[in-house]
Amino acid sequence: MTSTFTDLPRLMSLMTGDEKHGPAATSTLDALWVLYDRVLRVSPEGVDDPGRDRFLLSKGHGPMAYYAVLAAKGFFADSLLPGFGSYDSPLGHHPDRVLVPGAEISSGSLGHGLPLGVGTALGLRAQGLDGGGGPAVWVLIGDAELDEGSNHEAIAYAGAAGLERLHTLVVDNASATYGRPGGIASRFEAAGWSTATVDGRDHDALYDAFTAPHPGRPRAVVARVEGKEG
């Protein structure tokens, strides 16, 4: 039985202990929920389906919200949540794709997710699965990950290659070291991406931005949330 959005605080509260990276997780909660509840075509029964949408959590150092949403959607039992981060738990401080049901990649090192998303989109194209009705690739990155050069290479390549099935969700909690003239979206726009910047707590605005058409171009959605404290 799956849960609703209102159940997420309870699921989050089950994960205790040190090294929780709480703000990194809570900043992503609403956007993750809208994706899994209303956008992504993936289910616990279809985690190996070639036609599934792929979600890649690049912001793997703050996986609590990700785990809560996966549990809410039935990918694993919420009884696993209290063991978060313990030695014998599959739910580590960084997600492990071998251990976490529904996880597409192991992540946590900043700047890896978007290049992996580009490779995934290229792989789907090589298999002829990149048509309008084919699998979509979604990558969630934090604004601070844009300090990593690997992401800028991925942004430049994806725009030039016209990877229409690639989508990047940037959760902006103002933790990046370097500013972006014109805002984060301008970096993607300069590389040929379709973009939108929305309130990262507004579910309808997130949904509209996630589902807007963008023929021939990859899509970037910047979700602004409250600034990171501490």
Side-chain angles (χ1 to χ4, degrees), residues 12 20-29 32 57 59-65 140 142 171 173 228:
M12 291 278 284
K20 293 198 300 180
H21 285 288
T26 55
S27 65
T28 69
L29 192 60
L32 278 170
L57 179 69
K59 194 177 180 179
H61 62 287
M64 290 172 55
L140 189 157
V171 176
N173 65 354
K228 182 179 178 180

mmCIF file of all heavy atoms in Angstrom, residues 12 20-29 32 57 59-65 140 142 171 173 228:
data_model
loop_
_atom_site.group_PDB
_atom_site.id
_atom_site.type_symbol
_atom_site.label_atom_id
_atom_site.label_comp_id
_atom_site.label_asym_id
_atom_site.label_seq_id
_atom_site.Cartn_x
_atom_site.Cartn_y
_atom_site.Cartn_z
ATOM 1 N N MET A 12 10.068 10.475 7.083
ATOM 2 C CA MET A 12 11.358 11.145 7.288
ATOM 3 C C MET A 12 11.801 11.025 8.745
ATOM 4 O O MET A 12 12.986 10.855 9.037
ATOM 5 C CB MET A 12 11.247 12.617 6.900
ATOM 6 C CG MET A 12 11.062 12.869 5.411
ATOM 7 S SD MET A 12 12.606 12.834 4.485
ATOM 8 C CE MET A 12 13.298 14.426 4.932
ATOM 9 N N LYS A 20 23.055 13.118 8.734
ATOM 10 C CA LYS A 20 21.801 13.025 7.988
ATOM 11 C C LYS A 20 21.722 13.993 6.812
ATOM 12 O O LYS A 20 20.905 13.802 5.921
ATOM 13 C CB LYS A 20 20.617 13.282 8.909
ATOM 14 C CG LYS A 20 20.412 12.196 9.959
ATOM 15 C CD LYS A 20 19.020 12.261 10.551
ATOM 16 C CE LYS A 20 18.736 13.587 11.213
ATOM 17 N NZ LYS A 20 17.382 13.641 11.796
ATOM 18 N N HIS A 21 22.521 15.055 6.823
ATOM 19 C CA HIS A 21 22.422 16.082 5.782
ATOM 20 C C HIS A 21 20.962 16.511 5.600
ATOM 21 O O HIS A 21 20.428 16.497 4.492
ATOM 22 C CB HIS A 21 22.996 15.575 4.459
ATOM 23 C CG HIS A 21 24.499 15.526 4.421
ATOM 24 N ND1 HIS A 21 25.271 16.655 4.349
ATOM 25 C CD2 HIS A 21 25.353 14.476 4.468
ATOM 26 C CE1 HIS A 21 26.558 16.314 4.343
ATOM 27 N NE2 HIS A 21 26.632 14.997 4.424
ATOM 28 N N GLY A 22 20.336 16.886 6.694
ATOM 29 C CA GLY A 22 18.913 17.195 6.664
ATOM 30 C C GLY A 22 18.488 18.217 5.631
ATOM 31 O O GLY A 22 17.588 17.953 4.826
ATOM 32 N N PRO A 23 19.107 19.426 5.576
ATOM 33 C CA PRO A 23 18.682 20.414 4.581
ATOM 34 C C PRO A 23 18.845 19.933 3.142
ATOM 35 O O PRO A 23 18.033 20.263 2.274
ATOM 36 C CB PRO A 23 19.593 21.611 4.870
ATOM 37 C CG PRO A 23 19.961 21.468 6.311
ATOM 38 C CD PRO A 23 20.094 19.991 6.527
ATOM 39 N N ALA A 24 19.889 19.151 2.881
ATOM 40 C CA ALA A 24 20.087 18.631 1.528
ATOM 41 C C ALA A 24 18.948 17.714 1.127
ATOM 42 O O ALA A 24 18.598 17.621 -0.049
ATOM 43 C CB ALA A 24 21.422 17.881 1.445
ATOM 44 N N ALA A 25 18.365 17.040 2.119
ATOM 45 C CA ALA A 25 17.254 16.137 1.827
ATOM 46 C C ALA A 25 15.930 16.890 1.734
ATOM 47 O O ALA A 25 15.195 16.756 0.754
ATOM 48 C CB ALA A 25 17.170 15.053 2.906
ATOM 49 N N THR A 26 15.622 17.691 2.754
ATOM 50 C CA THR A 26 14.314 18.334 2.783
ATOM 51 C C THR A 26 14.125 19.315 1.638
ATOM 52 O O THR A 26 12.995 19.546 1.193
ATOM 53 C CB THR A 26 14.095 19.059 4.122
ATOM 54 O OG1 THR A 26 15.178 19.972 4.354
ATOM 55 C CG2 THR A 26 14.051 18.063 5.268
ATOM 56 N N SER A 27 15.193 19.869 1.120
ATOM 57 C CA SER A 27 15.074 20.796 -0.014
ATOM 58 C C SER A 27 14.524 20.108 -1.254
ATOM 59 O O SER A 27 13.966 20.763 -2.134
ATOM 60 C CB SER A 27 16.433 21.428 -0.324
ATOM 61 O OG SER A 27 17.361 20.444 -0.760
ATOM 62 N N THR A 28 14.674 18.799 -1.327
ATOM 63 C CA THR A 28 14.261 18.063 -2.527
ATOM 64 C C THR A 28 12.895 17.402 -2.389
ATOM 65 O O THR A 28 12.379 16.854 -3.366
ATOM 66 C CB THR A 28 15.282 16.959 -2.855
ATOM 67 O OG1 THR A 28 15.233 15.925 -1.858
ATOM 68 C CG2 THR A 28 16.696 17.511 -2.933
ATOM 69 N N LEU A 29 12.295 17.447 -1.217
ATOM 70 C CA LEU A 29 11.152 16.591 -0.919
ATOM 71 C C LEU A 29 9.965 16.832 -1.842
ATOM 72 O O LEU A 29 9.385 15.887 -2.396
ATOM 73 C CB LEU A 29 10.737 16.794 0.544
ATOM 74 C CG LEU A 29 9.745 15.789 1.111
ATOM 75 C CD1 LEU A 29 10.303 14.380 1.059
ATOM 76 C CD2 LEU A 29 9.393 16.160 2.549
ATOM 77 N N LEU A 32 10.714 15.817 -5.543
ATOM 78 C CA LEU A 32 10.760 14.358 -5.671
ATOM 79 C C LEU A 32 9.360 13.762 -5.648
ATOM 80 O O LEU A 32 9.037 12.861 -6.432
ATOM 81 C CB LEU A 32 11.585 13.757 -4.536
ATOM 82 C CG LEU A 32 13.098 13.756 -4.699
ATOM 83 C CD1 LEU A 32 13.764 13.351 -3.381
ATOM 84 C CD2 LEU A 32 13.513 12.800 -5.808
ATOM 85 N N LEU A 57 19.455 10.198 -8.949
ATOM 86 C CA LEU A 57 19.685 11.152 -7.879
ATOM 87 C C LEU A 57 21.173 11.467 -7.828
ATOM 88 O O LEU A 57 21.958 10.716 -7.260
ATOM 89 C CB LEU A 57 19.218 10.591 -6.535
ATOM 90 C CG LEU A 57 19.437 11.525 -5.339
ATOM 91 C CD1 LEU A 57 18.508 12.738 -5.416
ATOM 92 C CD2 LEU A 57 19.253 10.789 -4.017
ATOM 93 N N LYS A 59 22.322 14.194 -6.359
ATOM 94 C CA LYS A 59 22.503 14.783 -5.023
ATOM 95 C C LYS A 59 22.413 13.680 -3.964
ATOM 96 O O LYS A 59 21.572 13.695 -3.065
ATOM 97 C CB LYS A 59 21.451 15.862 -4.788
ATOM 98 C CG LYS A 59 21.720 16.757 -3.605
ATOM 99 C CD LYS A 59 20.662 17.847 -3.509
ATOM 100 C CE LYS A 59 20.945 18.748 -2.318
ATOM 101 N NZ LYS A 59 19.949 19.840 -2.198
ATOM 102 N N GLY A 60 23.314 12.714 -4.084
ATOM 103 C CA GLY A 60 23.212 11.516 -3.274
ATOM 104 C C GLY A 60 23.673 11.663 -1.844
ATOM 105 O O GLY A 60 23.488 10.742 -1.047
ATOM 106 N N HIS A 61 24.249 12.829 -1.482
ATOM 107 C CA HIS A 61 24.689 13.012 -0.104
ATOM 108 C C HIS A 61 23.528 13.389 0.805
ATOM 109 O O HIS A 61 23.701 13.456 2.027
ATOM 110 C CB HIS A 61 25.773 14.094 -0.021
ATOM 111 C CG HIS A 61 25.317 15.443 -0.472
ATOM 112 N ND1 HIS A 61 25.105 15.734 -1.800
ATOM 113 C CD2 HIS A 61 25.032 16.573 0.220
ATOM 114 C CE1 HIS A 61 24.701 16.996 -1.900
ATOM 115 N NE2 HIS A 61 24.645 17.523 -0.703
ATOM 116 N N GLY A 62 22.346 13.597 0.244
ATOM 117 C CA GLY A 62 21.164 13.899 1.054
ATOM 118 C C GLY A 62 19.998 13.023 0.644
ATOM 119 O O GLY A 62 19.011 13.520 0.106
ATOM 120 N N PRO A 63 20.082 11.693 0.880
ATOM 121 C CA PRO A 63 19.099 10.780 0.302
ATOM 122 C C PRO A 63 17.858 10.530 1.147
ATOM 123 O O PRO A 63 17.003 9.736 0.743
ATOM 124 C CB PRO A 63 19.899 9.478 0.178
ATOM 125 C CG PRO A 63 20.797 9.497 1.374
ATOM 126 C CD PRO A 63 21.173 10.962 1.553
ATOM 127 N N MET A 64 17.715 11.178 2.307
ATOM 128 C CA MET A 64 16.587 10.842 3.174
ATOM 129 C C MET A 64 15.237 11.057 2.496
ATOM 130 O O MET A 64 14.338 10.215 2.601
ATOM 131 C CB MET A 64 16.654 11.668 4.453
ATOM 132 C CG MET A 64 17.783 11.290 5.389
ATOM 133 S SD MET A 64 17.924 12.478 6.754
ATOM 134 C CE MET A 64 16.275 12.456 7.432
ATOM 135 N N ALA A 65 15.060 12.171 1.804
ATOM 136 C CA ALA A 65 13.794 12.420 1.123
ATOM 137 C C ALA A 65 13.565 11.386 0.019
ATOM 138 O O ALA A 65 12.437 10.919 -0.190
ATOM 139 C CB ALA A 65 13.778 13.829 0.541
ATOM 140 N N LEU A 140 18.388 14.659 -10.776
ATOM 141 C CA LEU A 140 18.241 15.708 -9.769
ATOM 142 C C LEU A 140 19.622 16.095 -9.271
ATOM 143 O O LEU A 140 20.369 15.250 -8.762
ATOM 144 C CB LEU A 140 17.372 15.229 -8.598
ATOM 145 C CG LEU A 140 16.960 16.297 -7.579
ATOM 146 C CD1 LEU A 140 15.694 15.877 -6.838
ATOM 147 C CD2 LEU A 140 18.054 16.615 -6.553
ATOM 148 N N GLY A 142 21.932 19.332 -7.139
ATOM 149 C CA GLY A 142 21.862 20.505 -6.291
ATOM 150 C C GLY A 142 22.561 21.674 -6.957
ATOM 151 O O GLY A 142 23.426 21.493 -7.824
ATOM 152 N N VAL A 171 17.751 21.666 -7.807
ATOM 153 C CA VAL A 171 17.155 22.179 -6.570
ATOM 154 C C VAL A 171 18.087 23.257 -6.019
ATOM 155 O O VAL A 171 19.220 22.983 -5.636
ATOM 156 C CB VAL A 171 16.936 21.053 -5.554
ATOM 157 C CG1 VAL A 171 16.417 21.622 -4.241
ATOM 158 C CG2 VAL A 171 15.945 20.033 -6.104
ATOM 159 N N ASN A 173 18.994 25.762 -3.308
ATOM 160 C CA ASN A 173 18.858 26.268 -1.940
ATOM 161 C C ASN A 173 19.988 27.226 -1.590
ATOM 162 O O ASN A 173 20.377 27.376 -0.434
ATOM 163 C CB ASN A 173 18.779 25.121 -0.931
ATOM 164 C CG ASN A 173 20.059 24.299 -0.858
ATOM 165 O OD1 ASN A 173 20.993 24.503 -1.633
ATOM 166 N ND2 ASN A 173 20.091 23.351 0.064
ATOM 167 N N LYS A 228 19.778 27.281 2.387
ATOM 168 C CA LYS A 228 20.357 26.321 3.330
ATOM 169 C C LYS A 228 20.898 27.060 4.539
ATOM 170 O O LYS A 228 21.593 28.060 4.410
ATOM 171 C CB LYS A 228 21.476 25.543 2.641
ATOM 172 C CG LYS A 228 22.136 24.485 3.504
ATOM 173 C CD LYS A 228 23.205 23.760 2.703
ATOM 174 C CE LYS A 228 23.924 22.724 3.533
ATOM 175 N NZ LYS A 228 24.976 22.016 2.760
#
